[in-house]
Amino acid sequence: MEIFNPVVITIYGAEQICASCVNLPSSKDTYEWLQAAISRKYPNQPFVIDYVDIMNPPDDEEKRQFAEKVIEEDLFYPVVVIGNQIVAEGNPNLKVIYAEMEKYGYK
């Protein structure tokens, strides 16, 4: 399966670590770690990774609404979203993220 459009991975998080996520890396650290890990796993296969601060969401309506959902539903952040699918909350598992990316044709 060929990849025609790069997968968009969105990390929703905040500077403050969520109360249930004590001793885990910050959302920003998780974003940087995922970016590096995915780049190593899928070299020369483009993807887009965005970070959204749930306390300061962008003007993009969809991202703003999802940021509100993270807060309202007390999701453990960072929340990792691929397409419209939540693939991780709190401490992301690379195998789960890779499996989701492979559904889009990544090898």
Side-chain angles (χ1 to χ4, degrees):
M1 180 183 207
E2 286 287 316
I3 299 168
F4 299 106
N5 293 317
V7 164
V8 177
I9 303 162
T10 308
I11 314 294
Y12 291 87
E15 279 188 37
Q16 182 179 353
I17 294 172
C18 86
S20 302
C21 304
V22 176
N23 299 325
L24 292 177
S26 72
S27 296
K28 205 62 156 164
D29 288 344
T30 300
Y31 160 79
E32 292 168 359
W33 169 73
L34 279 175
Q35 189 169 28
I38 294 167
S39 294
R40 277 193 306 274
K41 175 79 173 170
Y42 304 109
N44 307 316
Q45 295 180 67
F47 64 93
V48 175
I49 186 165
D50 288 329
Y51 178 79
V52 174
D53 184 331
I54 60 173
M55 302 303 177
N56 250 330
D59 288 337
D60 178 301
E61 185 66 20
E62 193 176 320
K63 289 180 178 170
R64 189 181 59 70
Q65 285 181 351
F66 195 87
E68 288 174 5
K69 175 182 175 169
V70 171
I71 295 167
E72 288 169 6
E73 295 183 12
D74 286 330
L75 301 178
F76 297 133
Y77 51 86
V79 177
V80 180
V81 177
I82 297 178
N84 293 322
Q85 184 74 32
I86 295 175
V87 293
E89 281 184 61
N91 190 11
N93 180 321
L94 281 175
K95 286 182 182 179
V96 172
I97 291 168
Y98 294 159
E100 187 65 24
M101 291 189 71
E102 286 166 9
K103 290 179 188 174
Y104 289 89
Y106 287 77
K107 296 179 175 77

